Amino acid sequence: MRKSLLATVAAVASAAFTLGAGPASAAETGAASPARAQGVACSTGVHAVDPLTGFASCSNHTGGPVEFRVELVCGWAPDVEGAWVRLEPGEGSQSIAHCAAYSSGIGEVRAVHRPA
């Protein structure tokens, strides 16, 4: 269930980034520019050098402020959460968390967001 949920979240985040791409202006193409994807677009991952550190990078494409954080499933150690990060409309940032040294590794990285 977690893998399918994570795959769905990744697909939605990927689609949100893809939908947000488009011409710089309507004047350049002679047509109306596509609407920017609405919502909070996030990507998650594990640090390239430290396999016990996970991150969530999010962008706010809503009309109001939101907060997000990263949550890590840490194997044999307790799960951890990053700090809540506040994003105003149009902003992007990152939340980071670190599993304990005795962890068997990161089993899942997810981004959680809420209205601010």
Side-chain angles (χ1 to χ4, degrees):
M1 175 70 179
R2 284 186 182 185
K3 283 187 178 182
S4 65
L5 179 60
L6 185 59
T8 302
V9 169
V12 169
S14 176
F17 279 115
T18 302
L19 290 173
S25 72
E28 292 179 53
T29 63
S33 61
R36 184 169 193 107
Q38 296 297 308
V40 179
C42 297
S43 61
T44 61
V46 176
H47 192 279
V49 177
D50 183 356
L52 296 179
T53 298
F55 64 89
S57 297
C58 295
S59 298
N60 181 1
H61 302 293
T62 70
V66 296
E67 293 180 328
F68 79 96
R69 71 177 176 197
V70 67
E71 295 180 348
L72 305 179
V73 176
C74 294
W76 290 95
D79 297 345
V80 295
E81 303 162 341
W84 285 103
V85 177
R86 181 183 172 101
L87 296 176
E88 295 298 327
E91 291 183 338
S93 192
Q94 191 173 65
S95 177
I96 299 172
H98 187 79
C99 291
Y102 59 88
S103 168
S104 58
I106 296 176
E108 183 178 356
V109 181
R110 59 184 170 253
V112 177
H113 58 86
R114 65 184 184 195

